[in-house]
């Protein structure tokens, strides 16, 4: 029973130390990581994937425009 708790404490310490998050932000990150959170009605992990795909598309368009303007 203690093993998962020790892992959770370790995650909390890393998030606070490495990213400087406060405890409220840590709780939000851990909820998102566990899939307990949704954005626009979809799980956060799926939403992040959607944002990453959109970002890649925007980056491609930006590169094309940059080349066209040179």
């Amino acid at each position: 029973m203690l093993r998962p708790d020790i892992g959770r404490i370790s995650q909390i310490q890393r998030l606070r130390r490495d990213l400087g998050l406060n405890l409220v932000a840590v709780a939000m990150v851990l909820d998102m990581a566990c899939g307990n959170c949704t954005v626009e009605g979809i799980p956060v992990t799926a939403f992040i994937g959607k944002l990453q795909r959109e970002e890649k598309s925007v980056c491609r368009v930006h590169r094309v425009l940059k080349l066209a303007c040179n």
Side-chain angles (χ1 to χ4, degrees):
M1 181 72 178
L2 286 178
R3 195 74 174 162
D5 293 338
I6 292 171
R8 185 77 159 188
I9 291 169
S10 177
Q11 288 176 319
I12 292 167
Q13 287 175 330
R14 279 196 308 274
L15 289 169
R16 289 183 50 86
R17 179 189 64 234
D18 298 346
L19 300 178
L21 300 180
N22 64 26
L23 290 175
V24 173
V26 168
M28 291 170 63
V29 167
L30 293 176
D31 280 348
M32 287 188 279
C34 294
N36 296 334
C37 202
T38 61
V39 175
E40 295 182 1
I42 61 174
V44 168
T45 51
F47 185 77
I48 290 170
K50 178 181 170 187
L51 290 177
Q52 287 172 333
R53 287 189 297 280
E54 290 174 4
E55 180 185 16
K56 287 178 186 175
S57 296
V58 169
C59 287
R60 276 188 234 118
V61 170
H62 181 261
R63 278 195 305 269
V64 168
L65 290 174
K66 191 173 177 181
L67 288 172
C69 292
N70 286 333

